[in-house]
Amino acid sequence: MDELLTDQALAAAARELAGRAGYNPGFLGVPVPIPELPHVKTVLLPYTHFSVLMRPDKRLAAVTALGMDGKKLMDLDRAGIQWRLDPRLPEDQQTGERVYAHNDIDRGHLVRRASAVWGDTGAEAAQANEDTFHYTNAAPQAAKFNQGIELWLGLESYLQENAADNSRRIVVFTGPVFGATDPVYRGVTIPLKFFKVAVFLQGGKLGATGYVVDQTPQLADLPDVPRPGVTDEAPPLGPFRTFQVPIRDIAALTGLGLDQLVAVDRMPIASTLPSARVTETWRELHSPEDLDLDFDLGQ
């Protein structure tokens, strides 16, 4: 398995990754830096078209940052690509195959594979395709959650196709929402919720929208996973339901520095009810048409 690579092979893999440019904060033509996580040790790992800000204490990402160029997307398959550890980070600071073996837990891509696979050449797109299969870009997700949440996976494509100008580019930040009731499984925290923030230009101005999805009930059904602390009663958000949420709520839940994006949140209720409690103004989504935005996606 990947964990048994020789020192020589690990060194070669590290040299190859050393040239990765990672996420470009100027991708939209307006600086949009990767959100920081104050007072927590993090490690930034660049890949092709995206970067991962790792939390060694959790062995998972705090946030991933992707620049997606919709005009250059390519349709490549994943056949033959294996998940691998990142040799730039000690093994005990990232997840590996042991967490995902012999259970119903998926290696859930944080940076969506299809959104990263673009480039001026097929080689560039293929490199991005392979880069998404590092364990640093994975998080433990119930199989039903990962495989069945089509709306969650499709949000960034929908916004890229309908809301973003500037040559149809979009930036996507994604990551876990760590909470006190998250179960620990094989030494790794399994987040009950995940967030996504999409950033784009609309009419030449920066805009952003935020989303949260919940996998609590699915994890409670896995036989070897400790039951989350909230399973005494139905979780308030229900099974893998997707919500549009104020970005300020994501900042409050994660501790990430999202002030720039809070200020340009295109969810109207974010500005009309600035003092609302976290979760109070979340909007359930059944399809992209349910999005509540202060602009017309058709423009």
Side-chain angles (χ1 to χ4, degrees):
M1 298 302 292
D2 296 321
E3 288 88 339
L4 300 180
L5 289 173
T6 66
D7 290 342
Q8 184 177 8
L10 287 171
R15 286 194 298 270
E16 179 189 357
L17 289 170
R20 297 294 195 267
Y23 166 73
N24 175 12
F27 186 72
L28 295 178
V30 177
V32 181
I34 300 175
E36 297 181 350
L37 188 63
H39 313 303
V40 176
K41 180 182 177 181
T42 55
V43 177
L44 184 63
L45 299 172
Y47 298 96
T48 304
H49 304 151
F50 69 97
S51 294
V52 176
L53 187 68
M54 283 292 293
R55 282 191 60 167
D57 63 323
K58 296 289 189 180
R59 299 174 63 191
L60 296 170
V63 62
T64 62
L66 165 71
M68 177 174 63
D69 190 330
K71 285 191 173 182
K72 298 179 180 179
L73 287 170
M74 298 187 186
D75 185 14
L76 302 182
D77 64 36
R78 57 189 293 171
I81 303 177
Q82 296 184 344
W83 285 91
R84 70 210 73 171
L85 295 168
D86 190 315
R88 298 171 295 182
L89 196 65
E91 290 186 20
D92 61 359
Q93 294 182 14
Q94 55 187 308
T95 60
E97 180 61 24
R98 191 178 74 87
V99 176
Y100 303 97
H102 309 298
N103 54 35
D104 288 326
I105 296 178
D106 274 1
R107 309 165 192 83
H109 277 82
L110 294 174
V111 169
R112 182 180 175 224
R113 186 187 70 86
S115 296
V117 180
W118 60 268
D120 292 315
T121 65
E124 180 184 353
Q127 181 173 276
N129 195 18
E130 293 194 7
D131 279 2
T132 65
F133 284 89
H134 283 89
Y135 281 114
T136 48
N137 184 42
Q141 294 176 347
K144 290 181 182 179
F145 170 88
N146 184 283
Q147 296 168 9
I149 192 73
E150 294 181 6
L151 174 60
W152 174 253
L153 294 176
L155 275 172
E156 57 203 68
S157 289
Y158 181 79
L159 288 167
Q160 180 270 320
E161 291 168 1
N162 294 280
D165 50 28
N166 191 35
S167 300
R168 299 167 68 89
R169 288 186 168 197
I170 191 169
V171 163
V172 183
F173 299 120
T174 306
V177 177
F178 294 110
T181 58
D182 292 342
V184 176
Y185 177 65
R186 298 180 181 176
V188 174
T189 296
I190 300 184
L192 300 180
K193 300 180 181 68
F194 294 85
F195 74 88
K196 188 189 302 287
V197 176
V199 191
F200 46 85
L201 289 184
Q202 180 69 22
K205 295 183 179 180
L206 198 66
T209 50
Y211 310 90
V212 167
V213 71
D214 189 310
Q215 67 168 343
T216 302
Q218 284 61 53
L219 289 179
D221 291 339
L222 298 179
D224 297 327
V225 177
R227 295 176 66 83
V230 295
T231 53
D232 291 337
E233 56 183 348
L237 301 182
F240 53 78
R241 290 162 65 188
T242 301
F243 290 79
Q244 183 182 0
V245 309
I247 296 172
R248 64 167 180 264
D249 284 12
I250 296 174
L253 290 169
T254 63
L256 289 165
L258 294 168
D259 290 352
Q260 178 192 25
L261 305 182
V262 170
V264 297
D265 194 341
R266 305 305 290 265
M267 185 179 186
I269 203 167
S271 58
T272 57
L273 294 175
S275 60
R277 294 177 299 174
V278 173
T279 76
E280 194 171 66
T281 58
W282 292 19
R283 179 184 179 90
E284 184 177 358
L285 303 178
H286 300 283
S287 72
E289 286 71 26
D290 293 329
L291 287 169
D292 186 18
L293 303 167
D294 65 357
F295 60 90
D296 183 356
L297 284 175
Q299 299 297 318

